């Protein structure tokens, strides 16, 4: 099996953990408070914590496992699950759980190693914990082996056996995180141990990295899968010990496994003394469960490839810049002695302190103070994007360039362990490193569907060439919509879990009211279950049958509710909005001349209200300028015409004002947003977009108590209580938190810029897209993409289907199919815009995903001439785009 470099993560982001970005002044203070020892800093004081133990992102199944821990004292189901996982994945017949790797080591020592024994080992780190005990550790690592640098030197091993009684040979997979061992050497050690009556104890905490290394570099191993290699390594040992916080991606925990019933019996008898009971070993039931699920998942070939690719890429970037380092299986281990020779014995801790000062990054050497001058920069598994890692690497490169000006830390307090060190320091005058990247890390991931091309062809045919009818399990990158698809943050989840449910007034309701008022500035706020519910109520209150509702292009649900209330929608958006090639910066603006003409013709009393959408969806996610909002309001207010925003994508619009209007370049997005809302009498919102929640909406009125009263009446009839709008109390809590997170300047910048990045990749390749690129989506112009397909053969529908077949990316048709037929003539409307929308969910995909999408769409572009159109085989009357089915022409 020859495997290629993965192009993007084999998963999407399910939940995120927000990062902190302390200022230089804050970093100085934290550092001084920590005695200039970065071990003592806490994660909220730093941006990127480059340690790999217990810091991995996990799968949603692993996270869910936390809730199925049965916490029984004896014989828990979780233990049984662990037994099965150890048997299935590792191949050992017996397992004894422990509280962690030190618990495992303790059991081995107390059951197998008499006082005064000699333990040969290929790992230096092991000495930290073995040295203080009554054993002699002998380093037997083969220093002459260039590839498998963790191999045991068999001559040295022989010499160790001559030194005294050797009950166990201690071998680490990827010793010290740096030195992989070959399968052949491991076997030789086993033979040697068998001949000498000793046990081979393998520390498999990083067995995956070692197996991957064997797969890539072992002679004749390229066709072996990770699962098989792991099993073979484990079966070569007598006893396996494992740190649950490394490869199995648990937060804590460990295990000992073996095929030898006598050894296992000793472990079971001893585990009750030091750890717990043989069926929980000092772990909570939930940790057992997470560990068991982690063992099953850790051999996933795609995931291993991605994790290892990140490590290689990160290390290579540093190497290319000449940073002195050594290979680590989980990152780059910096040669502090070469980078900061002037710092002498404190070079390691000085490097760590300087890196934190420069960039808020923690890289820390742990355990005992030793002679080797390495600072590990470890990559938490699955938790960071390549872009973030590139920037961490760039921060290190910048530090190395400024190393001359850094003097060593002066010791104030010391001890044999690194956490005991405290220093004093003269802050060097460094040019600080500024991150420009997603201000969150991955907390949990969801595996994505990966089908073959043939399977996708079958799936789209079965779905009638309609991407709405595909199963999400078949989709690799889902760009159908940004609605309800956001990844919630751990803070949102915490609020969600903490909420006390009720069907009367909750604690969350007044908090949510306060959060709405702070975010948007409006006095009366009514929660609804989603956007269309708010549109329904607003339309019923404000529209008299026969009245006109001018708006900046329509949205399907909005227009439908206006019509159901007897209103007539009139499009007054600027002409440029209908031209996919116009590069007007504010294509969402209302054309005031059109509006004036309408009012002049019909009179102000004929106008129900202005339906004014931010970041206009159907126009391609195009923003409205602050001046336009002002002008429209200044014109309407004296005439008594209410202005209502569809503020579904109000934050994205606010960001575009910050980005494009020089007068607002230094204004926080939250302030811009509040100013925008001043130029309206209220709003409807589908909270499933900018509010960073999966469900919820809002109907708000600036100050009109009578409208609010009427709306509350309808809310009680159609939605739920005034205090919940039909939402779960927990969802109210998540909204309140989302309202704070959505106006984080770093977040919204990276969100909109990610969309623009995808647009740029496509545009640069000549793919016809709507310009300028909008805020939430890139819209492909199907008329220019497939000029040979007549609009009544649905080019956008066809293009969306083909993109799925080619790439596994799901997009949405926004053209002739969506617009429908004119009921009077029965003809298709054939709208000016015939588009395919690639919509970017919030906080879910990385820029590597965006590159993968672009590459796929470009492949379709290159073979566009071979594509024919579609015809309906089933055409529903209403909103036909949802359920309609087609066949190829
Ligand atoms: C989008 C959606 C979701 C959607 C709705 C209908 C057909 C296809 C997809 C929903 C919006 C929106 C704007 C500007 C109101 C709603 C309705 N957009 N205004 O873009 O974009 O909100 O779904 O919460 O009821 O995929 P709701």
């Amino acid at each position: 099996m020859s495997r290629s470099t993965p192009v993007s993560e084999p998963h999407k982001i399910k939940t995120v953990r927000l990062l902190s970005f302390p200022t230089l002044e804050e970093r100085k203070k934290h550092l001084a408070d920590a005695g200039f020892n970065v071990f003592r800093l806490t994660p909220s004081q730093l941006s990127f914590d480059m340690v790999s133990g217990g810091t991995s992102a996990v799968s949603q199944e692993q996270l869910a496992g936390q809730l199925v821990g049965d916490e029984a004292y004896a014989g828990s189901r979780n233990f049984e699950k662990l037994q099965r996982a150890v048997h299935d994945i590792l191949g050992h017949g017996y397992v004894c759980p422990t509280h962690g790797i030190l618990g495992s080591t303790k059991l081995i020592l107390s059951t197998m190693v008499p006082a005064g024994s000699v333990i040969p080992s290929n790992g230096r780190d092991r000495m930290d914990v073995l040295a203080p005990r009554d054993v002699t550790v002998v380093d037997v690592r083969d220093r002459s082996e260039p590839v498998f640098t963790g191999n045991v030197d068999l001559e040295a091993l022989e010499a160790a056996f001559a030194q005294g009684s050797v009950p166990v040979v201690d071998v680490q997979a990827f010793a010290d995180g740096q030195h992989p061992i070959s399968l052949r050497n491991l076997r030789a050690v086993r033979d040697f141990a068998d001949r000498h009556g000793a046990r081979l104890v393998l520390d498999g905490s990083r067995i995956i990295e070692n197996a991957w290394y064997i797969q890539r570099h072992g002679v004749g191993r390229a066709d072996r899968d990770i699962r098989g290699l792991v099993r073979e390594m484990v079966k070569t040992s007598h006893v396996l010990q494992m740190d649950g916080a490394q490869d199995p991606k648990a937060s804590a925990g460990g295990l000992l496994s073996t095929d030898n019933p006598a050894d296992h019996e000793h472990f079971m008898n001893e585990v009750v003394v030091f750890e717990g009971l043989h069926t929980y070993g000092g772990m909570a039931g939930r940790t057992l469960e997470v560990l068991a699920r982690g063992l099953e998942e850790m051999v996933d070939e795609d995931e291993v490839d991605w994790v290892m690719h990140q490590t290689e890429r990160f290390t290579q970037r540093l190497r290319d810049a000449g940073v002195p380092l050594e290979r680590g299986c989980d990152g780059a281990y910096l040669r502090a002695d070469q980078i900061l020779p002037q710092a002498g014995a404190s070079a390691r801790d000085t490097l760590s302190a300087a890196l934190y000062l420069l960039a808020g990054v923690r890289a820390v050497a742990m355990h005992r103070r030793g002679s080797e001058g390495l600072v590990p920069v470890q990559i938490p598994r699955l938790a960071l994007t390549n872009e973030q890692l590139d920037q961490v690497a760039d921060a290190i490169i910048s530090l190395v360039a400024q190393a001359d000006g850094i003097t060593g830390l002066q010791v104030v307090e010391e001890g044999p362990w690194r956490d005991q060190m405290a220093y004093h320091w003269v802050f060097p005058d460094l040019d600080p490193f500024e991150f420009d990247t997603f201000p969150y890390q991955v907390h949990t991931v969801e595996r994505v569907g990966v089908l073959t091309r043939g399977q996708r062809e079958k799936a789209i045919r079965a779905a009638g060439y309609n991407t709405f009818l595909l199963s999400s399990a078949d989709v690799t990158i889902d760009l159908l919509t940004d609605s309800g698809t956001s990844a919630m943050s751990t803070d949102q989840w915490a609020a969600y879990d903490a909420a006390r449910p009720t069907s009367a007034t909750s604690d969350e309701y007044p908090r949510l009211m306060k959060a709405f008022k702070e975010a948007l500035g409006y006095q009366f706020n009514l929660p609804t279950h989603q956007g269309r519910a708010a549109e329904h109520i607003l339309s019923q209150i404000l529209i008299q049958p026969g009245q006109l509702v001018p708006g900046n292009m329509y949205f399907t649900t909005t227009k439908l509710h206006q019509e159901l209330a007897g209103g007539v929608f009139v499009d007054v958006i600027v002409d440029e909005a209908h031209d996919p090639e116009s590069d007007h910066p504010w294509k969402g603006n209302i054309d005031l001349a059109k509006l004036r003409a309408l009012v002049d013709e019909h009179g102000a009393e004929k106008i129900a209200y202005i339906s004014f959408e931010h970041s206009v969806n159907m126009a391609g996610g195009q923003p409205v300028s602050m001046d336009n909002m002002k002008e429209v309001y200044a014109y309407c207010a004296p005439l008594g015409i209410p202005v209502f925003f569809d503020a579904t994508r109000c934050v994205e619009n606010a960001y575009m004002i910050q980005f494009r209007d020089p007068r607002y370049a230094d204004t926080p997005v939250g302030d811009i947003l509040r100013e925008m809302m001043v130029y309206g009498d209220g709003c409807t919102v589908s909270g499933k977009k900018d509010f960073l929640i999966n469900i919820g909406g809002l109907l708000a009125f600036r100050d009109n108590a009578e409208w609010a009263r009427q709306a509350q009446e309808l809310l009680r009839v159609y939605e739920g209580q005034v205090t919940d709008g039909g939402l779960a109390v927990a969802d109210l809590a998540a909204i309140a938190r989302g309202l704070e997170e959505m106006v984080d300047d770093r977040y919204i910048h990276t969100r909109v810029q990610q969309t623009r990045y995808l647009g740029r990749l496509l545009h640069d390749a000549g793919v016809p897209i709507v310009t300028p690129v909008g805020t939430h989506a890139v819209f492909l112009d199907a008329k220019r993409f497939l000029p040979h397909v007549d609009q009544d053969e649905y080019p956008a529908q066809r293009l969306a289907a083909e993109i799925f077949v080619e790439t596994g990316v799901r997009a949405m048709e926004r053209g002739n199919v969506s617009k429908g037929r004119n009921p009077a003539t029965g003809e298709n409307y054939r709208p000016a815009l015939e588009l395919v929308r690639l919509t970017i969910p919030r906080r879910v995909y990385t820029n590597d995903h965006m590159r993968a999408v672009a590459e796929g769409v470009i492949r379709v572009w290159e073979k566009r001439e071979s594509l024919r159109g579609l015809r309906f085989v089933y055409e529903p009357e209403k909103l036909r785009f949802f359920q309609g089915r087609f066949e190829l022409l």
Side-chain angles (χ1 to χ4, degrees):
M1 190 181 326
S2 103
R3 307 188 60 88
S4 55
T5 308
V7 290
S8 62
E9 290 86 336
H11 50 255
K12 61 179 173 188
I13 302 173
K14 192 74 188 194
T15 58
V16 298
R17 190 192 297 286
L18 303 183
L19 295 170
S20 308
F21 291 90
T23 63
L24 181 63
E25 288 65 38
E26 288 165 338
R27 299 202 292 270
K28 283 183 179 170
K29 179 179 180 306
H30 295 324
L31 208 47
D33 290 348
F36 300 93
N37 181 349
V38 299
F39 179 85
R40 300 179 184 178
L41 295 169
T42 63
S44 68
Q45 295 175 331
L46 43 92
S47 300
F48 292 99
D49 197 4
M50 305 305 288
V51 294
S52 63
T55 52
S56 307
V58 298
S59 68
Q60 57 178 345
E61 288 77 15
Q62 250 184 314
L63 184 73
Q66 280 191 8
L67 300 182
V68 295
D70 70 6
E71 315 300 351
Y73 196 87
S76 68
R77 279 163 288 197
N78 312 119
F79 173 66
E80 285 157 18
K81 172 133 185 162
L82 180 66
Q83 279 183 309
R84 281 196 300 277
V86 167
H87 186 263
D88 293 350
I89 304 297
L90 303 177
H92 270 162
Y94 302 97
V95 59
C96 179
T98 62
H99 83 276
I101 190 72
L102 292 179
S104 302
T105 303
K106 173 78 182 83
L107 293 189
I108 289 164
L109 288 177
S110 53
T111 59
M112 293 180 165
V113 182
S117 297
V118 170
I119 302 183
S121 176
N122 69 340
R124 270 196 52 83
D125 284 358
R126 304 292 295 158
M127 292 183 199
D128 287 356
V129 293
L130 296 177
R133 310 191 188 193
D134 190 12
V135 292
T136 306
V137 181
V138 180
D139 182 352
V140 292
R141 189 158 72 77
D142 183 353
R143 313 267 154 176
S144 62
E145 160 67 41
V147 180
F148 288 96
T149 56
N151 279 0
V152 171
D153 178 344
L154 294 175
E155 279 173 29
L157 189 59
E158 189 135 24
F161 272 76
Q163 241 177 291
S165 160
V166 178
V168 304
V169 179
D170 178 85
V171 170
Q172 261 190 69
F174 246 113
D176 305 334
Q178 282 183 270
H179 305 294
I181 187 168
S182 72
L183 204 43
R184 183 197 300 202
N185 185 253
L186 194 64
R187 278 212 206 93
V189 175
R190 164 73 189 238
D191 289 345
F192 190 97
D194 281 343
R195 280 202 306 278
H196 293 78
R199 301 277 202 298
L200 167 54
V201 176
L202 175 66
D203 178 350
S205 303
R206 284 153 166 164
I207 198 165
I208 294 298
E209 292 85 337
N210 204 126
W212 182 87
Y213 196 85
I214 292 172
Q215 191 185 54
R216 295 297 161 117
H217 301 281
V219 180
R221 307 286 170 199
D223 58 338
R224 299 288 307 276
D225 64 8
I226 294 289
R227 190 182 173 121
L229 288 166
V230 164
R231 200 179 170 92
E232 198 165 338
M233 290 177 75
V234 173
K235 293 296 261 187
T236 305
S237 70
H238 292 98
V239 174
L240 175 81
Q241 57 171 336
M242 215 162 170
D243 182 351
Q246 292 287 349
D247 283 344
K249 297 188 288 164
S251 49
L255 61 83
L256 277 175
S257 68
T258 180
D259 275 335
N260 184 331
D263 283 349
H264 181 59
E265 196 174 324
H266 288 133
F267 295 152
M268 286 201 298
N269 288 331
E270 201 69 7
V271 77
V272 291
V273 180
F274 294 104
E275 299 293 293
L277 187 65
H278 69 285
T279 53
Y280 76 86
M283 265 185 273
R286 60 176 170 273
T287 311
L288 280 170
E289 185 71 29
V290 173
L291 174 56
R293 291 180 184 215
L295 287 173
E296 287 168 357
E297 292 177 6
M298 72 180 188
V299 291
D300 181 292
E301 209 85 18
D302 292 333
E303 184 178 303
V304 175
D305 279 348
W306 177 256
V307 168
M308 298 311 292
H309 151 76
Q310 285 207 312
T311 305
E312 300 263 298
R313 178 191 158 105
F314 178 71
T315 308
Q316 197 56 47
R317 192 174 178 99
L318 292 170
R319 222 181 245 135
D320 289 347
V323 173
L325 58 83
E326 287 182 16
R327 173 191 66 214
C329 70
D330 51 5
Y333 290 31
L334 305 180
R335 301 274 342 210
D337 52 347
Q338 292 180 18
I339 297 169
L340 294 171
Q342 69 273 29
S346 72
R348 288 214 263 192
D349 288 349
T350 305
L351 183 66
S352 296
L355 183 58
Y356 175 72
L357 178 69
L358 178 98
V361 171
R362 168 155 65 192
V364 57
M366 289 200 216
H367 306 305
R368 273 176 171 267
R369 293 163 67 196
S371 54
E372 287 180 51
L374 296 178
V375 175
V377 189
Q378 300 170 330
I379 303 173
R381 293 170 186 77
L382 307 181
L384 303 178
T385 67
N386 275 343
E387 184 187 75
Q388 290 171 330
L389 290 172
D390 285 352
Q391 294 189 20
V392 170
D394 291 346
I396 293 167
I397 292 164
S398 160
L399 179 69
V400 171
Q402 302 181 62
D404 284 351
I406 301 171
T407 54
L409 300 172
Q410 303 132 40
V411 177
V412 174
E413 283 166 42
E414 62 185 324
W417 296 85
R418 309 203 69 87
D419 65 292
Q420 296 171 303
M421 302 302 292
Y423 300 95
H424 193 64
W425 201 26
V426 179
F427 285 118
D429 200 5
L430 299 177
D431 186 13
F433 183 88
E434 296 294 337
F435 283 98
D436 177 12
T437 185
F438 303 90
Y440 46 82
Q441 66 174 65
V442 185
H443 174 247
T444 54
V445 301
E446 176 184 336
R447 278 296 314 238
V448 295
V450 186
L451 303 188
T452 63
R453 191 193 168 88
Q455 289 168 326
R456 284 197 297 264
E457 270 168 5
K458 238 173 115 181
I460 197 73
R461 215 177 312 129
Y465 296 90
N466 185 345
T467 54
F468 276 105
L469 300 178
L470 287 167
S471 159
S472 85
D474 295 343
V475 173
T476 307
I477 298 179
D478 202 343
L479 305 186
L480 186 72
T481 176
D482 62 332
S483 182
T485 51
S486 300
M488 288 218 301
S489 70
T490 51
D491 301 272
Q492 283 178 293
W493 270 104
Y496 185 95
D497 283 345
R500 298 180 199 200
T502 174
S503 44
T505 305
S506 62
D507 296 287
E508 279 63 30
Y509 175 68
R511 283 186 209 139
L512 180 62
M513 290 303 103
K514 192 160 167 274
F516 275 136
K517 200 174 271 177
E518 270 164 29
L520 304 176
Y522 290 163
Q523 198 178 343
F524 301 105
N525 296 282
L526 288 69
T528 61
H529 82 274
Q530 57 182 58
R532 64 197 74 180
E535 292 163 359
H536 167 222
I537 294 173
L538 182 70
S539 302
Q540 292 297 324
I541 295 174
L542 287 190
I543 300 172
Q544 303 299 322
Q547 276 191 313
L548 304 178
V549 190
N552 51 346
M553 212 171 261
Y554 72 103
F555 187 74
T556 49
T557 58
T558 322
K559 180 160 163 270
L560 187 66
H561 283 296
Q562 290 162 0
E563 289 166 356
L564 288 172
V568 178
F569 174 82
V570 186
D571 191 358
V572 292
I573 201 166
V574 293
D575 284 339
E576 286 85 349
H578 296 282
D579 173 5
E581 293 182 70
S582 155
D583 59 3
H584 191 289
W586 309 105
K587 280 166 105 171
N589 278 359
I590 283 181
D591 185 332
L592 204 58
K594 287 187 194 171
L595 180 60
R596 248 197 211 107
L598 194 74
V599 174
D600 290 347
E601 185 183 343
H602 298 277
E605 60 300 335
K606 191 80 197 285
I607 311 289
Y609 63 92
I610 309 294
S611 181
F612 204 171
E613 185 185 335
H614 295 135
S615 250
V616 183
N617 191 0
M618 298 299 269
Q622 302 296 333
V624 180
S625 71
M626 188 70 91
D627 289 337
N628 190 245
M629 285 180 252
K630 257 191 223 184
E631 284 160 14
V632 169
Y633 191 72
Y635 170 71
C636 290
L639 297 173
I641 302 172
V643 175
F644 274 82
F645 291 120
D646 179 339
T648 295
R649 295 181 181 84
C650 58
V651 189
E652 291 175 358
N653 200 122
Y655 171 74
M656 289 310 290
I657 291 173
Q658 187 191 58
F659 184 60
R660 285 220 177 108
D661 186 336
R663 296 169 300 172
Y664 291 89
D666 297 322
T667 312
V669 160
D671 293 345
I672 297 174
L673 175 57
R674 267 189 308 272
E675 181 180 341
M676 283 161 54
M677 302 310 287
V678 167
Y679 309 123
D681 297 285
C683 65
T684 59
V685 181
S686 168
K688 300 168 73 171
K689 285 83 171 175
D690 271 356
F691 287 3
L692 292 169
I693 48 167
N694 306 118
I695 195 72
L698 168 69
L699 172 57
F701 302 95
R702 200 185 58 225
D703 51 18
N704 191 316
E706 175 52 22
W707 285 338
R709 194 196 58 74
Q710 290 178 27
Q712 287 194 345
E713 277 304 311
L714 293 180
L715 196 73
R716 291 187 189 96
V717 173
Y718 290 105
E719 289 296 296
Q721 300 294 345
V722 167
T723 49
D724 60 30
L727 289 164
V729 172
D731 285 312
L732 302 183
I735 300 173
R737 190 54 224 174
L739 290 170
E740 288 175 38
E741 294 177 10
M742 72 181 187
V743 288
D744 178 90
D745 285 284
R746 272 181 203 267
Y747 152 69
I748 190 65
H749 165 74
T750 52
R751 188 288 184 279
V752 175
Q753 291 301 333
Q754 177 172 49
T755 308
R756 293 168 54 82
Y757 175 64
L758 175 61
R760 208 158 47 239
L761 292 175
L762 292 170
H763 188 72
D764 290 351
V767 177
I769 60 170
V770 174
T771 55
V773 177
T775 57
H776 69 302
V778 177
F779 289 73
L780 305 176
D781 184 350
K783 280 189 183 168
R784 278 185 289 152
F785 204 116
L786 300 176
H788 53 285
V789 178
D790 185 86
Q791 206 171 359
D792 280 343
E793 293 170 358
Y794 311 113
Q797 187 77 22
R798 176 69 175 98
L799 184 53
E802 191 60 26
I803 286 171
F804 172 72
V805 171
E806 180 66 38
T807 67
V809 172
R810 171 155 68 173
M812 189 192 283
E813 193 266 5
R814 295 278 89 172
N816 208 8
V817 177
S818 295
K819 186 89 195 233
R821 290 182 193 275
N822 183 338
T825 65
E827 297 290 311
N828 284 320
Y829 276 113
R830 299 175 66 100
L833 296 179
E834 175 77 18
L835 307 176
V836 171
R837 188 179 74 169
L838 299 164
T839 335
I840 322 295
R842 293 166 185 78
R843 304 197 291 207
V844 171
Y845 293 109
T846 69
N847 284 348
D848 287 299
H849 286 118
M850 294 302 110
R851 260 192 302 279
V853 171
E855 284 166 16
V857 172
I858 290 165
R859 284 200 302 278
V860 178
W861 170 243
E862 281 160 1
K863 55 174 227 193
R864 60 194 177 276
E865 275 150 30
S866 66
L867 302 180
R868 300 283 157 268
L870 296 168
R871 75 168 148 249
F872 267 106
V873 290
Y874 168 61
E875 183 178 351
E877 243 176 78
K878 275 181 270 176
L879 301 178
R880 61 181 180 170
F881 55 90
F882 281 128
Q883 316 280 354
R885 306 180 75 88
F886 303 81
E887 65 182 13
L888 287 177
L889 278 171

